[in-house]
């Protein structure tokens, strides 16, 4: 794995946000295709627009990681249409309330931050595990980070496990029947389709594992 865990700072958070923006842009058509099958066919384009705006934020303009995360959240709320903006925006805003000081992250800090982000999304979107939403990717990722923290593992290990769990959660949405959002109108016909929100959330966690763990990707 090589490198030491990088310290949390506006610069490292900016690297993460820029990486996620690139991933979203690369997969925008795929996300929109997934959304076309069970939603409004705009998830990819909406997320790409929002993350392009977030990636353009200059890390040198922010005194801390928390300030940049807060601005990223507010930017997503104001630039992304549909449900995704408020949900992803709330996620970053909640992260900023937990990651208050810069420095080397612990697995416990990441667990607390991601848990706060999940709680914000659940409160905003009223979705639970099994509803076929981005919660189905984020919730198992949070559980994975909590377990590594409880076992005394490293932040890098916690992020790696989170990425694995998020991907498994994303895949699990294929066989679910949607109970929230536009997809819920389809009932049984939503089964057999991967949820676009769970897909973009798994990409977010995977990006964090690449950029924040210090591991050579």
């Amino acid at each position: 794995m090589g490198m030491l865990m990088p310290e949390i700072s506006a610069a490292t958070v900016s690297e993460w946000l820029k990486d996620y923006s690139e991933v979203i842009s690369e997969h925008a058509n795929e996300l929109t295709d997934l959304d076309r099958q069970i939603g409004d066919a705009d998830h990819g384009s909406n997320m790409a627009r929002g993350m392009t705006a977030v990636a353009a934020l200059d890390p040198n303009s922010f005194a801390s990681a928390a300030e940049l995360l807060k601005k990223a959240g507010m930017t997503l709320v104001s630039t992304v249409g549909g449900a995704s903006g408020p949900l992803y925006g709330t996620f970053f805003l909640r992260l900023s309330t937990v990651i208050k000081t810069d420095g080397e992250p612990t697995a416990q800090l990441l667990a607390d931050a991601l848990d706060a982000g999940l709680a914000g999304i659940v409160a905003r979107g009223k979705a639970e595990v099994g509803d076929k939403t981005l919660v189905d990717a984020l919730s198992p990722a949070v559980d994975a980070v909590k377990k590594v923290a409880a076992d005394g593992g490293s932040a890098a290990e916690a992020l790696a496990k989170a990425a694995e769990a998020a991907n498994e959660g994303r895949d699990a949405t294929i066989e679910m029947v949607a109970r929230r959002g536009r997809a819920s109108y389809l009932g049984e016909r939503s089964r057999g389709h991967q949820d676009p929100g769970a897909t973009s959330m798994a990409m977010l966690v995977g990006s964090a594992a690449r950029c924040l763990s210090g591991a050579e990707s």
Side-chain angles (χ1 to χ4, degrees), residues 118-209:
L118 173 63
I121 285 176
V122 169
R124 193 77 187 249
K126 305 290 188 283
E128 300 173 356
V129 171
D131 284 349
K132 198 179 179 106
T133 70
L134 59 125
V135 169
D136 290 299
L138 181 56
S139 184
V142 171
D143 290 342
V145 175
K146 286 180 177 176
K147 184 175 188 309
V148 172
D151 292 343
S154 69
E157 182 189 352
L159 286 169
K161 295 288 188 188
E164 289 176 18
N167 287 343
E168 290 172 7
R170 171 202 66 205
D171 294 346
T173 64
I174 295 171
E175 290 308 312
M176 292 177 186
V177 174
R179 296 197 294 246
R180 286 281 164 198
R182 178 61 64 95
S184 64
Y185 303 157
L186 296 174
E188 273 292 334
R189 284 181 296 148
S190 64
R191 194 191 299 277
H193 298 286
Q194 185 171 303
D195 182 66
T199 306
S200 60
M201 178 54 73
M203 291 173 182
L204 178 69
V205 179
S207 178

Side-chain angles (χ1 to χ4, degrees), residues 73-92:
M74 292 162 61
T75 300
L76 286 174
V77 170
S78 63
T79 57
V80 181
S84 304
L87 294 176
Y88 275 95
T90 296
F91 175 77
F92 285 116

